[in-house]
Amino acid sequence: MIKAILVFNNHGKPRLSRFYQYYPEDMQQQIVRETFHLVSKRDDNVCNFLEGGTLIGGSDFKIIYRHYATLYFVFCVDSSESELGILDLIQVFVETLDKCFENVCELDLIFHVDKVHYILAELVMGGMVLETNMTEIITRIEEQNKLEKSEAGIAAAPARAVSALKEMNIPQKVKDMKLPDLPSIGNLKF
Amino acid sequence: MPTVKGDGMRGLAVFISDIRNCKSKEAEIKRINKELANIRSKFKGDKTLDGYQKKKYVCKLLFIFLLGHDIDFGHMEAVNLLSSNRYTEKQIGYLFISVLIGANNDLMKLVIQAIRNDLAGRNPIHITLALQCVANIGSREMAEGLSVDIPKLLVSGDTIDSVKQSAALTLLRLLRSSPDSIPMGEWMSRIIHLLNDQHMGVVTAAASLIENLVKKNPEEYKGCVSLAVSRLSRIVTSSYTDLQDYTYYFVPAPWLSVKLLRLLQNYPPPEDPAVKTRLSECLETILNKAQEPPKSKKVQHSNAKNAVLFEAINLIIHMDSDPNLLVRACNQLGQFLQHRETNLRYLALESMCLLATSEFSHEAVKKHQETVITALKTERDVSVRQRAVDLLYAMCDRTNAEEIVGEMLEYLESADYSIREEMVLKVAILAEKYAVDYTWYVDVILNLIRIAGDYVSEEVWYRVIQIVINRDDVQGYAAKTVFEALQAPACHENMVKVGGYILGEFGNLIAGDPRSGSAVQFQLLHSKYHLCSPATRGLLLSAYIKFINLFPEIKHIIQDVLRSDNNMRNADVELQQRSIEYLQLSSITTADVLATVLEEMPPFPERESSILAKLKKKKPSSVPEGSEQKETTASKIPAVQMSNNVDIAPPTSINLMSQGESSTDDFVDQGSPQGGSASVDLLGLGSPTQPTAPSVGSGGLLDMFDTLTSHSSAPATNGIDLGGLSGGAEEAFRKFICKNNGVLFENDLLQIGVKSEYREDLGRLWVFYGNKTTFQLNAFLVDVSTPGNLSETGLSIQQKPVGGEVEAGAQVKQQFNMACVQEFAEAPVMTIQFLYSGAQQKISLKLPVVLNKYITPAEMDANTFFTRWKALNSPSQECQQIIKATSPIDHEQVKAKLIGFSVSVLEKVDPNAENFVSAGILYTRNQQVGILLRLEPNKQAQMYRLTVRASRDKVAKILCDLMQTQL
């Protein structure tokens, strides 16, 4: 099981932290710091696995990480996960981010924390791998984007309507306004 | 090309830019506080916030949280967003909740309600969001609330694939966090067939879920073996173009292959020959593919391919049945040992460790010994070196022990600090296990102390002393070697301890040589005395008194030392006491008595090496089960066998090596159980010997040690369950029949208090576990079981979880909700288990829940009472007992007891004012039962007559039995 997924930069600034096991907030911060401390002092050509984190999980616990330019992607896992598999998963995650953000860089992660979470949610769920097929993941993200776009349109509509009403300044009209008939929800098929 | 940058939220971007422009930490904190104040006032004041604004603010809070600031508001707004119809608002709401809200938040009920609504709606993207939230939080409350909905989604025919996928993982998470609250049902039989699903994503998720189920109940899901094998075979034999999207850098479905191979590791090799052959073919194909030239130079290709390969090798090792495959696996790993990828070298060392434990491949692994030793010396990465140490340890046997131990000792001098302690333990174990010649063993351990004295734990040097004492052929050699080792100008304190002990016992064996004569030995030891800690000095003092027995010629020198102000008036009480007592002992007793008291230590009972136990505790994974088995075959060495008799050590034993109360439990039970020789405990700093004791011979000393031992070993035996309830449990339980609050149990470690309240058929009970020690209690587990058929009918108990640890001095509260379904006679039994300094403790108590708690007192006049009394006239409705009073009959006390028993005390019903008449209604879920009670005391005879009538059979008898214990 994946216990936590952490992304931080070369200075240890957290850019994403996702815990799949409950830890109190201060503990989460400590884990991020400890992990950074362990990972950052390692050369780039040593292996991508290490043991020795004391805060999560005890002896049945490994850190698997990759270093990309300014960012460390760290997965904290227990022994039920395949080390190389997790390395691949990190790669899938990063490639997906790269596709979604078009040449992802640290700034994208900073300004779109929520999106990064949504992308991650398509890969990993409750500490288990949900989907590894990048095409499928990207299709699902695209669906979300479409929804967001259409809702942004809807969201603007009532605001426009309200401002129009204010100008009319005739309260009576508001009362007389009728909403168009809505199709019965029950008939809708998904 | 999708882009998720989208329109974004401008306010959020501005805020983040501001933060990034902050020049100092202070400025950043100031900006954040300003923003928090802003958001707080918006949330408080502005009721008309629209969804977009709420979303924006919640997003800001998330960002602030990521920077490491506590967020203590906004939760309610996030929960409100859950019921929005807009996907993006719902999405951010769920994100906030799964990142920021712990399982025990008060809002969880609302969250669960929102989740249930989304699950019930038919919009798959809403369902997915809800499932994600459940999977990420996975609390017990969620498990209880959604235990029906989620399995239904998983096996229902009209669920779309992506939802099925999510449902499988959500169910897995809930099964993990609260396995008992998911009802097993029809879905279970259908679940393994998900391995045949068209959609690979569903299969992957299902494989994870099935593995979890299989771990609990392999028999039930046995059918998954053949399904998994055939699925695997289809993937492995497919070309990389077949699976299209699930092909990752030319490797078909690596993830799913790994999952399936893991799943199969839960079962022995398949019995069905067809399945078995098919599996062997798969494994061979995977091994063959490893030899093919890579289809891509990218590291992702090799990673994916090797992920499958390593898992296949693990499965081969697990099945441990096909020598051909095992040897091939070993050769493959051998190739990896020299691979230029560090990751592969690391994993190869790790897998080879497992391989070394198989009898088929042990020899094949040994061929790589040189490579592994080179790795130990030349690898730049400590993670890899650590694996090399593990592997050397695993591949060690009689034939190569001397070399491996030599190499490890050499490496120890330059080893990383982080792995030294573990290496010391491993060297010590190997040296002991494979020693043919015990002089070699003694050399190794003394070298260990010399090279890495700081990392040599007590267990290691205790063990060398045990072995020397048990084997008289090495005693002379040991004495000579420690004598030489002590001559080094600077030697580690542990060396002084070992030296002191061994010379104190066997110094006479080398005293013939004038270069190591008695006085020389004493001077040598005493030259270290002032540099040592009080504990070591105490040990040396014991060695000195032993010298007096061994070498009467230097008695006066030693007495002078004992008499010196430095000892006699030492600030350390223990040293002071020892000096005085030893001095007295040496002055007033006859040589015979002295000789008896200070006789050589008797052999230690043979038992499992405590070092091994320590290593296991330190690194459970590093002592594979297979090696256990090897140990028994390997321990044909006569003296020290690895027997597992730790727990059956005789109850009365002398505590030989304890250092006061801080003694390691492992040593508590050692010594000479028969008490044949009354020896002064050479190392027992906590057990002062009194000058009067020796004349009594064995008895007195033994008694003295007994009290000491039983004291220091009390934690280990306290409250140990001997099949039934812990001591005092029954009495404590009885006290609660007429009261609701109090202390239920108490020993040296734990105090258990209880508070409870009842209303009609519902009861709530809080149990408070107080840790009385100065240590953390680990793996704290409480289990409540209901005896007999009560679980189905009488009482329904809901138990809130209790944390795994109880900190020193802390108190933990646990709540139980108990509904009375119908009458019950037996109280539930609760079993508390925990680890206290490594020893498993178990306490069994009766949970003070009794039938009368569910009675509500009823008032009535004499007329009504007697009418009803007469109505309840069938024999099964009445129970009468004559009871001998246990204490003098006191009207007020009895009245208080009846009120405590939850019945009314009716005045002026019985003409005799001394008699009691009571009534009440027993509330159960199914019905209400009328209770009438009469209690007639007879002061002369000190007897009571108790009569209970109830409108339901059996109830009267149960209540009568309960009340009877109180009089």
Side-chain angles (χ1 to χ4, degrees):
Chain A
M1 177 188 174
I2 302 169
K3 311 253 176 172
I5 294 175
L6 311 171
V7 178
F8 40 73
N9 70 8
N10 292 347
H11 306 291
K13 274 249 176 223
R15 294 306 178 207
L16 172 79
S17 71
R18 194 78 180 82
F19 287 83
Y20 295 101
Q21 191 174 333
Y22 176 74
Y23 293 99
E25 286 154 31
D26 49 339
M27 187 73 174
Q28 293 188 8
Q29 295 297 327
Q30 274 183 43
I31 291 172
V32 173
R33 277 198 297 275
E34 187 194 58
T35 315
F36 171 70
H37 181 73
L38 285 171
V39 166
S40 61
K41 64 179 182 199
R42 291 169 63 84
D43 293 341
D44 268 354
N45 52 357
V46 299
C47 75
N48 298 88
F49 322 123
L50 86 149
E51 287 157 55
T54 52
L55 298 172
I56 308 184
S59 60
D60 184 20
F61 164 66
K62 252 186 199 151
I63 290 172
I64 298 175
Y65 73 100
R66 255 170 193 264
H67 190 194
Y68 295 89
T70 63
L71 291 175
Y72 285 98
F73 283 74
V74 184
F75 280 44
C76 305
V77 302
D78 65 14
S79 61
S80 68
E81 298 291 342
S82 146
E83 288 95 342
L84 289 174
I86 293 287
L87 268 189
D88 282 343
L89 188 68
I90 299 179
Q91 180 69 17
V92 171
F93 182 36
V94 174
E95 281 184 38
T96 312
L97 287 173
D98 196 54
K99 287 214 168 111
C100 293
F101 286 107
E102 294 166 8
N103 291 325
V104 67
C105 68
E106 196 182 336
L107 278 180
D108 292 317
L109 266 58
I110 298 172
F111 283 98
H112 304 282
V113 182
D114 49 338
K115 305 279 168 162
V116 178
H117 271 291
Y118 301 149
I119 293 170
L120 185 59
E122 298 297 336
L123 264 95
V124 177
M125 188 165 151
M128 299 303 291
V129 175
L130 177 67
E131 184 57 76
T132 53
N133 174 357
M134 219 180 305
T135 326
E136 176 103 27
I137 296 168
I138 288 173
T139 320
R140 290 184 193 169
I141 297 288
E142 271 174 352
E143 275 170 23
Q144 291 183 14
N145 288 339
K146 260 186 228 149
L147 267 170
E148 187 186 0
K149 284 232 173 69
S150 69
E151 284 180 358
I154 301 169
R160 275 198 299 272
V162 169
S163 64
L165 277 175
K166 274 183 188 155
E167 282 162 25
M168 287 197 285
N169 206 11
I170 309 167
Q172 189 55 39
K173 286 236 165 162
V174 184
K175 281 187 195 159
D176 293 340
M177 268 178 65
K178 276 208 177 120
L179 289 168
D181 282 340
L182 288 171
S184 151
I185 306 276
N187 296 335
L188 283 178
K189 282 262 160 60
F190 292 105
Chain B
M1 199 52 89
T3 167
V4 293
K5 284 178 183 168
D7 309 321
M9 289 167 276
R10 225 180 78 79
L12 177 66
V14 170
F15 170 61
I16 294 175
S17 304
D18 279 2
I19 294 283
R20 288 173 50 77
N21 289 333
C22 287
K23 292 279 184 287
S24 65
K25 191 83 197 156
E26 289 72 36
E28 185 185 307
I29 291 174
K30 214 173 143 198
R31 179 68 185 87
I32 286 173
N33 285 337
K34 189 181 148 203
E35 192 64 37
L36 284 175
N38 173 35
I39 301 173
R40 202 189 293 265
S41 72
K42 285 277 196 291
F43 279 163
K44 252 198 197 135
D46 204 346
K47 287 277 182 284
T48 60
L49 282 183
D50 66 19
Y52 168 78
Q53 282 166 313
K54 272 190 213 153
K55 186 174 116 186
K56 183 175 77 184
Y57 293 132
V58 167
C59 235
K60 282 183 182 174
L61 290 180
L62 270 178
F63 183 77
I64 296 172
F65 177 72
L66 181 64
L67 291 178
H69 299 264
D70 279 359
I71 301 295
D72 52 4
F73 68 100
H75 301 73
M76 198 58 216
E77 282 72 19
V79 173
N80 285 338
L81 283 174
L82 296 187
S83 45
S84 163
N85 284 326
R86 299 236 173 82
Y87 178 71
T88 49
E89 286 165 18
K90 210 184 255 297
Q91 195 182 24
I92 193 91
Y94 273 125
L95 176 59
F96 184 92
I97 283 159
S98 54
V99 172
L100 268 162
I101 296 192
N104 296 323
N105 196 285
D106 304 335
L107 294 174
M108 208 31 91
K109 282 217 162 53
L110 292 173
V111 174
I112 292 175
Q113 191 48 49
I115 289 172
R116 197 176 281 132
N117 290 344
D118 278 334
L119 290 181
R122 306 197 53 198
N123 188 341
I125 53 173
H126 291 183
I127 296 180
T128 310
L129 282 182
L131 287 175
Q132 273 169 0
C133 182
V134 177
N136 289 335
I137 296 179
S139 67
R140 168 170 282 272
E141 217 175 333
M142 282 181 164
E144 282 161 3
L146 305 164
S147 59
V148 183
D149 313 51
I150 291 170
K152 214 160 67 190
L153 273 176
L154 181 60
V155 291
S156 150
D158 47 357
T159 310
I160 66 165
D161 290 336
S162 65
V163 172
K164 236 185 232 179
Q165 220 172 330
S166 303
L169 292 186
T170 309
L171 187 57
L172 166 58
R173 177 61 195 263
L174 295 182
L175 281 170
R176 272 197 182 142
S177 56
S178 39
D180 47 326
S181 40
I182 306 288
M184 299 297 149
E186 186 228 3
W187 59 272
M188 297 178 70
S189 56
R190 294 168 64 175
I191 213 142
I192 57 170
H193 296 285
L194 288 173
L195 288 176
N196 267 334
D197 201 282
Q198 296 285 320
H199 190 277
M200 297 286 258
V202 174
V203 186
T204 313
S208 298
L209 172 61
I210 293 169
E211 195 190 351
N212 185 279
L213 292 167
V214 158
K215 281 205 157 62
K216 290 213 188 68
N217 194 352
E219 226 13 66
E220 176 122 23
Y221 299 96
K222 230 167 142 186
C224 74
V225 173
S226 62
L227 290 170
V229 170
S230 70
R231 187 87 215 194
L232 182 69
S233 144
R234 269 179 282 156
I235 296 170
V236 170
T237 52
S238 72
S239 93
Y240 64 86
T241 45
D242 289 359
L243 291 164
Q244 291 182 4
D245 288 343
Y246 281 87
T247 298
Y248 179 80
Y249 289 90
F250 306 101
V251 183
W255 260 103
L256 180 52
S257 312
V258 166
K259 283 275 168 221
L260 293 171
L261 288 163
R262 288 244 163 179
L263 175 60
L264 291 171
Q265 286 173 48
N266 291 295
Y267 288 97
E271 281 156 21
D272 181 346
V275 179
K276 191 174 180 169
T277 317
R278 205 162 178 199
L279 180 56
S280 296
E281 281 166 11
C282 284
L283 294 171
E284 271 174 29
T285 316
I286 294 172
L287 285 170
N288 290 341
K289 278 190 180 172
Q291 299 301 327
E292 289 170 11
K295 294 194 174 65
S296 154
K297 284 216 166 67
K298 285 242 164 107
V299 67
Q300 285 82 1
H301 172 66
S302 99
N303 276 353
K305 195 162 117 179
N306 293 326
V308 179
L309 176 61
F310 273 109
E311 220 44 72
I313 292 176
N314 285 342
L315 178 59
I316 293 171
I317 298 170
H318 166 80
M319 298 198 300
D320 199 15
S321 60
D322 186 337
N324 169 38
L325 281 177
L326 279 164
V327 171
R328 278 193 71 182
C330 184
N331 293 340
Q332 181 63 54
L333 293 177
Q335 282 182 24
F336 283 145
L337 282 183
Q338 319 219 26
H339 202 278
R340 60 186 172 78
E341 271 280 322
T342 320
N343 287 341
L344 294 182
R345 294 199 299 274
Y346 173 96
L347 293 173
L349 288 166
E350 192 178 59
S351 294
M352 239 185 208
C353 254
L354 295 174
L355 211 48
T357 58
S358 158
E359 54 172 321
F360 298 116
S361 49
H362 185 76
E363 285 305 312
V365 171
K366 274 167 66 184
K367 286 191 196 123
H368 301 284
Q369 188 176 323
E370 282 314 307
T371 323
V372 181
I373 288 172
T374 320
L376 183 64
K377 288 177 173 163
T378 57
E379 279 289 350
R380 297 179 49 220
D381 186 347
V382 58
S383 305
V384 184
R385 288 198 295 269
Q386 171 84 59
R387 289 284 87 86
V389 172
D390 289 350
L391 177 53
L392 283 177
Y393 177 72
M395 67 161 66
C396 191
D397 61 17
R398 273 291 176 73
T399 60
N400 56 12
E402 219 156 303
E403 189 184 352
I404 286 182
V405 166
E407 292 290 349
M408 284 171 89
L409 268 178
E410 192 182 313
Y411 174 63
L412 192 57
E413 294 194 56
S414 58
D416 311 80
Y417 295 110
S418 56
I419 63 174
R420 280 196 184 180
E421 190 185 352
E422 198 186 317
M423 278 196 73
V424 167
L425 290 175
K426 287 187 166 162
V427 170
I429 291 167
L430 291 179
E432 178 185 330
K433 194 153 92 178
Y434 299 116
V436 184
D437 172 4
Y438 275 86
T439 59
W440 173 72
Y441 169 76
V442 171
D443 284 341
V444 168
I445 302 294
L446 292 183
N447 266 330
L448 269 185
I449 298 177
R450 199 171 46 73
I451 297 169
D454 283 343
Y455 298 89
V456 172
S457 55
E458 286 178 340
E459 284 85 351
V460 174
W461 72 263
Y462 284 180
R463 189 69 183 161
V464 72
I465 285 171
Q466 285 177 25
I467 288 176
V468 170
I469 286 178
N470 286 11
R471 300 193 56 91
D472 41 19
D473 52 335
V474 286
Q475 287 161 355
Y477 180 80
K480 183 164 154 285
T481 325
V482 291
F483 178 77
E484 281 161 9
L486 284 172
Q487 279 168 330
C491 57
H492 195 274
E493 195 163 330
N494 280 339
M495 189 70 91
V496 179
K497 289 180 187 161
V498 176
Y501 200 119
I502 290 186
L503 291 180
E505 293 291 327
F506 310 113
N508 56 332
L509 299 178
I510 56 167
D513 187 332
R515 283 167 302 174
S516 55
S518 54
V520 186
Q521 283 183 38
F522 174 71
Q523 291 307 339
L524 182 62
L525 276 183
H526 199 55
S527 68
K528 316 283 179 196
Y529 186 82
H530 302 280
L531 304 169
C532 293
S533 67
T536 311
R537 286 194 211 177
L539 185 150
L540 286 178
L541 287 179
S542 299
Y544 296 168
I545 185 76
K546 287 233 162 186
F547 271 175
I548 291 185
N549 179 41
L550 293 180
F551 314 119
E553 67 272 18
I554 56 168
K555 180 171 172 181
H556 60 283
I557 312 181
I558 294 172
Q559 283 181 331
D560 283 347
V561 170
L562 293 175
R563 205 177 284 126
S564 75
D565 280 359
N566 188 20
N567 287 327
M568 203 87 114
R569 303 194 174 169
N570 196 294
D572 188 291
V573 183
E574 180 62 42
L575 291 180
Q576 214 183 81
Q577 188 169 2
R578 283 197 184 213
S579 320
I580 296 169
E581 288 174 1
Y582 289 163
L583 185 61
Q584 284 297 313
L585 180 66
S586 66
S587 333
I588 62 171
T589 49
T590 64
D592 280 354
V593 171
L594 204 61
T596 318
V597 174
L598 300 173
E599 202 184 4
E600 195 177 296
M601 293 293 290
F604 289 85
E606 287 171 8
R607 66 213 296 272
E608 184 188 20
S609 161
S610 52
I611 310 178
L612 204 61
K614 175 159 178 157
L615 184 68
K616 271 186 205 155
K617 203 166 126 190
K618 200 168 145 61
K619 278 195 87 178
S621 53
S622 71
V623 187
E625 280 157 45
S627 71
E628 212 86 333
Q629 184 198 343
K630 262 175 50 194
E631 266 151 27
T632 42
T633 48
S635 61
K636 283 172 194 131
I637 325 149
V640 187
Q641 267 158 6
M642 314 278 174
S643 55
N644 287 322
N645 59 353
V646 185
D647 295 321
I648 49 169
T652 53
S653 54
I654 300 182
N655 180 355
L656 280 166
M657 294 207 174
S658 96
Q659 305 212 334
E661 280 165 63
S662 65
S663 68
T664 51
D665 287 343
D666 283 335
F667 281 84
V668 163
D669 290 328
Q670 289 200 352
S672 58
Q674 288 74 31
S677 59
S679 330
V680 171
D681 70 323
L682 193 47
L683 290 179
L685 302 189
S687 53
T689 45
Q690 283 159 10
T692 49
S695 56
V696 194
S698 59
L701 259 184
L702 258 179
D703 287 347
M704 207 165 72
F705 284 125
D706 255 3
T707 47
L708 185 93
T709 318
S710 62
H711 181 209
S712 59
S713 66
T717 48
N718 242 330
I720 285 212
D721 172 81
L722 300 170
L725 294 173
S726 300
E730 193 64 48
E731 291 76 356
F733 168 76
R734 264 185 224 140
K735 282 193 301 193
F736 281 85
I737 293 178
C738 285
K739 64 178 191 171
N740 285 340
N741 307 329
V743 174
L744 180 62
F745 177 80
E746 182 156 24
N747 67 6
D748 292 346
L749 307 180
L750 203 63
Q751 187 194 52
I752 301 177
V754 168
K755 252 180 145 172
S756 55
E757 59 182 35
Y758 295 85
R759 242 194 86 234
E760 299 187 348
D761 62 330
L762 299 176
R764 228 182 312 181
L765 185 129
W766 293 272
V767 182
F768 299 81
Y769 307 96
N771 180 352
K772 291 171 65 181
T773 69
T774 50
F775 298 98
Q776 193 185 46
L777 303 181
N778 294 314
F780 199 87
L781 205 75
V782 178
D783 192 24
V784 170
S785 60
T786 42
N789 60 354
L790 182 143
S791 55
E792 289 140 36
T793 52
L795 196 61
S796 126
I797 303 180
Q798 245 190 352
Q799 175 184 5
K800 293 268 155 70
V802 67
E805 268 86 40
V806 183
E807 295 296 338
Q811 198 182 51
V812 174
K813 180 166 95 168
Q814 185 180 27
Q815 187 181 330
F816 294 86
N817 293 333
M818 299 148 313
C820 179
V821 182
Q822 63 173 57
E823 77 281 359
F824 57 91
E826 286 291 343
V829 173
M830 96 171 158
T831 316
I832 300 149
Q833 283 174 294
F834 55 92
L835 288 175
Y836 169 71
S837 64
Q840 178 75 36
Q841 306 287 326
K842 189 171 165 190
I843 299 168
S844 292
L845 300 171
K846 272 190 177 177
L847 206 56
V849 187
V850 282
L851 189 60
N852 60 290
K853 302 282 181 196
Y854 295 97
I855 299 175
T856 308
E859 293 296 334
M860 57 186 71
D861 58 34
N863 227 338
T864 332
F865 183 87
F866 283 111
T867 319
R868 295 198 180 164
W869 182 263
K870 280 175 194 137
L872 298 172
N873 57 0
S874 96
S876 65
Q877 288 172 326
E878 190 200 69
C879 178
Q880 189 172 71
Q881 288 183 5
I882 310 288
I883 305 153
K884 179 116 186 71
T886 47
S887 56
I889 296 172
D890 177 331
H891 190 81
E892 282 316 304
Q893 259 180 22
V894 176
K895 188 173 168 183
K897 288 226 165 109
L898 283 171
I899 292 170
F901 198 67
S902 330
V903 289
S904 60
V905 176
L906 303 174
E907 305 288 349
K908 298 185 188 127
V909 174
D910 197 306
N912 181 350
E914 288 300 311
N915 291 349
F916 295 92
V917 176
S918 301
I921 300 163
L922 171 69
Y923 285 89
T924 69
R925 188 181 291 167
N926 303 334
Q927 66 177 118
Q928 296 176 8
V929 182
I931 310 288
L932 302 173
L933 180 147
R934 297 178 74 180
L935 181 64
E936 294 147 278
N938 180 338
K939 280 197 176 162
Q940 281 77 46
Q942 286 290 310
M943 303 279 251
Y944 292 102
R945 184 168 72 181
L946 173 67
T947 317
V948 180
R949 287 188 178 183
S951 62
R952 187 176 158 85
D953 294 354
K954 289 188 258 177
V955 172
K957 169 88 172 85
I958 297 170
L959 291 177
C960 204
D961 287 342
L962 285 170
M963 189 65 213
Q964 173 233 315
T965 63
Q966 300 300 307
L967 296 167

